[in-house]
C-alpha cells in the first residue's frame, strides 16, 4: 500500500444556508490518479476547492502528509499541491514560457531571484508537455487543448507532488481529451504524482484513472477501481439513469453506454 498523501475526515461545507458537502471521509494515496465523477451539483468542485485550500471546510479535518492543511504556510503548501480550476484565469499578453514560469513562484517568492534552476525547470516542463514549438507563442492564440497543456506545464514547473484538475477536458474535442489525460496519467507514473481530476465522462475516468471516486448529493457514494465502479447497479446509484456496461474489444476495460 502506498503512503497516504491526503486524508479527509468528516468534512462538511456550507455556503450560506445551503449545505453542499456532508461528512466526507476520503483517503488519497501517493502516486495514484483519481477520477472524481458524479452528476452536476454533487459537490465535486467544492471538494476540489477544499483540498486545494481555496475555501475552508465548515467542519471536519483535512491533512496533507499527516499535517492539517491549515498549518501549512502558503508557499510550502503550493510546493506540495498545484490546482487548475475549472475556469482558468486569462493569460492575455503572456507567452507560453511566461505562463509556465509562474509555476516557479512558490520557490522564489515575490522578491526572490529567478534562478538558473527555475529556468531549467520551466524548460523541462515545456519539453515534457511537448510545447517546445509553442514556447514563444501568445497563450491567447492557442487552441483549447494546447492551452490546457500549457497550464499543465505550469503545474509541472511548480514541481508539486499533487495535481488537482477541475474539468480539464470539458471544452476539448476527443483527440485533445485523450492527449491531455494520457499526459497526466503518464506524468503520475513517471513522477509518483497524486492526481485528482474532475470528469463528466465516466468512460474517460475508467480509461485514465487508477481509481474512481463517485459523488452524489454532497456525499461520496463509491470509491474503487474502475472495474468495481463500472457496473449497471453502481452507475444507476451514482447517476440515477440506466447505464449498460461492456468490455472494450481491445483493452478489455469496462465501457459504459446510456440505455
Amino acid at each position: 500500500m502506498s503512503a497516504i498523501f491526503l486524508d479527509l475526515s468528516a468534512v462538511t461545507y456550507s455556503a450560506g444556508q445551503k449545505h453542499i458537502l456532508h461528512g466526507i471521509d476520503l483517503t488519497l494515496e501517493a502516486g495514484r490518479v483519481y477520477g472524481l465523477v458524479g452528476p452536476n451539483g454533487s459537490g465535486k468542485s467544492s471538494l476540489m476547492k477544499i483540498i486545494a485550500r481555496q475555501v475552508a471546510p465548515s467542519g471536519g479535518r483535512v491533512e496533507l502528509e499527516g499535517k492539517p492543511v491549515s498549518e501549512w504556510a502558503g508557499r510550502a503548501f503550493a510546493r506540495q499541491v498545484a490546482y487548475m480550476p475549472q475556469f482558468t484565469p486569462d493569460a492575455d499578453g503572456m507567452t507560453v514560457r511566461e505562463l509556465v514560469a509562474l509555476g516557479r513562484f512558490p520557490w522564489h517568492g515575490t522578491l526572490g531571484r529567478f534562478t538558473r534552476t527555475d529556468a531549467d525547470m520551466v524548460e523541462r516542463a515545456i519539453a515534457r508537455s511537448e510545447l517546445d514549438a509553442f514556447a514563444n507563442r501568445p497563450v491567447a492564440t492557442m487552441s483549447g487543448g494546447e492551452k490546457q497543456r500549457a497550464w499543465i506545464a505550469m503545474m509541472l514547473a511548480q514541481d508539486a507532488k499533487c495535481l488537482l484538475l477541475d474539468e480539464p477536458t470539458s471544452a476539448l474535442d476527443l483527440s485533445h481529451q485523450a492527449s491531455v489525460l494520457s499526459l497526466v496519467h503518464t506524468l503520475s507514473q513517471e513522477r509518483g504524482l497524486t492526481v485528482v481530476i474532475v470528469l463528466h465522462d465516466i468512460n474517460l475516468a475508467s480509461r485514465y484513472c487508477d481509481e474512481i471516486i463517485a459523488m452524489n448529493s454532497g456525499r461520496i457514494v463509491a470509491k474503487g477501481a474502475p472495474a468495481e465502479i463500472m457496473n449497471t447497479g453502481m452507475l444507476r446509484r451514482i447517476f440515477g439513469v440506466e447505464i449498460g456496461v461492456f468490455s472494450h474489444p481491445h483493452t478489455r476495460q469496462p465501457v459504459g453506454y446510456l440505455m
Side-chain angles (χ1 to χ4, degrees), residues 3 83 131 169 178 185:
Y83 170 61
L131 290 170
T169 62
H185 190 269

Side-chain angles (χ1 to χ4, degrees), residues 166-188:
D166 193 349
E167 297 191 35
T169 62
S170 60
L172 305 184
D173 59 32
L174 289 175
S175 174
H176 283 107
Q177 288 178 11
S179 175
V180 167
L181 293 177
S182 178
L183 172 63
V184 170
H185 190 269
T186 300
L187 290 169
S188 174

Side-chain angles (χ1 to χ4, degrees), residues 28 61 71 74 95 101 127 167 191 204 231 235 237 240 242 256:
L28 302 180
R61 173 180 55 81
E71 296 181 9
T95 66
E167 297 191 35
R191 303 186 178 200
L204 290 177
N231 63 76
L235 294 176
R237 181 184 174 197
E242 294 295 325

Side-chain angles (χ1 to χ4, degrees), residues 28 38-39 47 98 123 133 155 182 187 194 203 218 226 234 259:
L28 302 180
L47 180 57
E98 289 168 340
E123 296 308 315
M155 298 170 86
S182 178
L187 290 169
T194 302
N203 289 322
M234 181 63 74
M259 296 176 65

